Amino acid sequence: NSQYERVNDEPVGTMFTAEELIRAAIAESDNTAYKMLYHYIGYTDFNEYAKSLGLPQRMTDDNYWFRMTARQTASYFKDIYYFIDQHVNGTLMEECMENAEYREMFSAALPDKTVAEKYGYLPQADFYTLGDAGIIYGDGSAYVLVVYVRGTGSELNTEFFRDTAVLIDELHGLL
């Protein structure tokens, strides 16, 4: 699917465990691993999960990226926060998100905080959408931060994400 994806470097027919695919999809943002997972699991479970959170997204062959608003993404991340805290597989999720390879936005801006995040990049014909969503831990509390930016040009501007993370963290500290 992409030259940057580890799964593609393996010979056709290579077997992967679900954990290997989860780690690749979350920590390495490997889209091929993500696609392999949703084909294995099926749309029904993804769609039931969205429905359980009261969200309108439904996965189909034409919409397997779950395009959503920042508010909708925050609903997922709130649920991920509780999953990390309460589920037997929460540590795997937390480890993947806290050790993601791409950490140039929220994590870079908040080096004294623990940040469990997932970035996304969606190129289009004449623009791109760049996003970061994360759970920011520190000082005995946590909060969810989600930012999406649509831009044009060849350079992705991550400065806005860092500036926003710093401002929101300062605001959070005042609460």
Side-chain angles (χ1 to χ4, degrees):
N1 188 45
S2 168
Q3 63 183 354
Y4 303 109
E5 296 171 13
R6 183 181 62 81
V7 171
N8 281 350
D9 293 338
E10 300 298 327
V12 172
T14 299
M15 301 292 285
F16 297 95
T17 65
E19 182 176 328
E20 289 171 324
L21 293 173
I22 289 167
R23 286 183 186 281
I26 296 171
E28 300 171 27
S29 205
D30 187 317
N31 293 332
T32 302
Y34 168 72
K35 288 179 182 179
M36 290 173 76
L37 281 168
Y38 79 69
H39 281 298
Y40 175 73
I41 294 168
Y43 295 155
T44 303
D45 288 337
F46 280 98
N47 292 338
E48 286 299 318
Y49 175 54
K51 185 178 175 182
S52 76
L53 295 177
L55 298 172
Q57 288 78 22
R58 296 302 178 261
M59 190 176 279
T60 66
D61 286 333
D62 296 327
N63 182 27
Y64 47 82
W65 296 115
F66 254 32
R67 291 181 179 103
M68 62 190 96
T69 67
R71 183 180 300 273
Q72 291 164 341
T73 302
S75 294
Y76 282 104
F77 270 72
K78 178 182 174 187
D79 194 60
I80 290 169
Y81 170 81
Y82 290 112
F83 178 85
I84 287 171
D85 187 51
Q86 299 170 2
H87 195 275
V88 65
N89 292 320
T91 20
L92 172 63
M93 175 75 85
E94 181 178 38
E95 181 184 315
C96 290
M97 293 177 70
E98 288 179 7
N99 297 298
E101 283 187 4
Y102 190 81
R103 301 182 65 76
E104 302 302 316
M105 295 188 274
F106 297 163
S107 293
L110 305 169
D112 59 328
K113 306 283 185 185
T114 299
V115 181
E117 69 187 315
K118 177 68 181 84
Y119 95 101
Y121 171 68
L122 183 62
Q124 303 285 293
D126 56 350
F127 66 92
Y128 64 84
T129 303
L130 180 64
D132 199 9
I135 304 164
I136 303 5
Y137 298 91
D139 305 327
S141 65
Y143 61 93
V144 171
L145 176 60
V146 180
V147 177
Y148 288 128
V149 171
R150 184 168 281 176
T152 58
S154 59
E155 286 194 32
L156 300 178
N157 185 348
T158 57
E159 183 177 353
F160 176 77
F161 290 86
R162 291 188 296 275
D163 291 346
T164 301
V166 169
L167 291 172
I168 295 298
D169 195 61
E170 288 173 3
L171 179 62
H172 181 259
L174 295 173
L175 299 177

